[in-house]
Amino acid sequence: MECVFGIDIGGTNIKIGKFHGDEMAESRQVKTDKGAAGANIIADVARAVREMQGDDVIAGIGVGVPGPVMDGVVLGAQNLGWKELNVIKEFEKYFPGVVIRVLNDANAAAVGEWAYGGGAGFSSFIFMTLGTGIGGGLIINNELVEGASGSTGEIGHIRVGYHNDRLCTCGLYDCIEQYASATGIVITANRLRVGRETILNEVEVTSKNVFDYAQLGDEVCLEVVNNMVEKLASALAAITNTVNPEAIVLGGGVSKAGQFLLDRVEKRFRELAFFSVRDTKFALAKMGNAAGMYGCAYEVRKKICRLRSTADR
Ligand SMILES: [Zn+2]
């Protein structure tokens, strides 16, 4: 039977899914070996894929990587130790003749959500994943937009402060990632709890605890949430004013705060966005951390279809 693989290469784990058509037949997780500047990663993936292949014929492999991607070349993925790398060429060494599609991991998750999850039914939406960092993706007219230098999803690096207060991993200051990601929420919480009466001085300061105790009425936790919501709603209003999509879909670990977060972001967004985009819909992602695998598999199937239809002509 013909299969494709959808592979999500992250800084901690690599998720590998084998697909028959739309259906995931099997999945596996491999630890990311960041030693030797990530030189072993692709060999590790190739070994796992061969083990999972069984009697199937591999028609394509879709790969999501944490960095900007142009024509199969990742321009740099600090989380993996990779500098510029032609990922298509690297995979072709192990899988000659197999169609390879490489895309940014958050872009892949956007496709997964569009095809099967929280973005289903929208022909255009902005996807934003709020995890340790912030990533994103943009679907317009049912197509992923990747940008002139493969950077359409880099919405985590929108500047939302003006005092060079928080240095970002990208080298710039005050990117929204430093305020609205799980990491950013912890920074804010650690600042605001000093000298105050709050549960945050008794429990571990995590994004989850901040949201849990905010819902129970802890005032400092609520302040942290409001602070995060302000930055997030401002950035979303700016993006929406530019792109004017049907919807905004929020995913990632922080979005597990669910409706409590969504209601607040939505309310503040409607106050900050231009009048004609105020009705933009909001939704939560549904695919969890499988979105990337599904999106990679979807995109490589699309590439295979295009190549085959060109060959038929
Ligand atoms: Zn940044």
Side-chain angles (χ1 to χ4, degrees), residues 238-255:
I239 306 166
T240 306
N241 289 357
T242 315
V243 174
N244 191 13
E246 286 176 72
I248 293 165
V249 178
L250 297 181
V254 175
S255 75

Side-chain angles (χ1 to χ4, degrees), residues 156-158 167-178:
H157 304 284
I158 293 173
L167 179 62
C168 186
T169 51
C170 73
L172 299 170
Y173 280 94
D174 297 334
C175 296
I176 189 169
E177 185 166 293
Q178 298 304 314

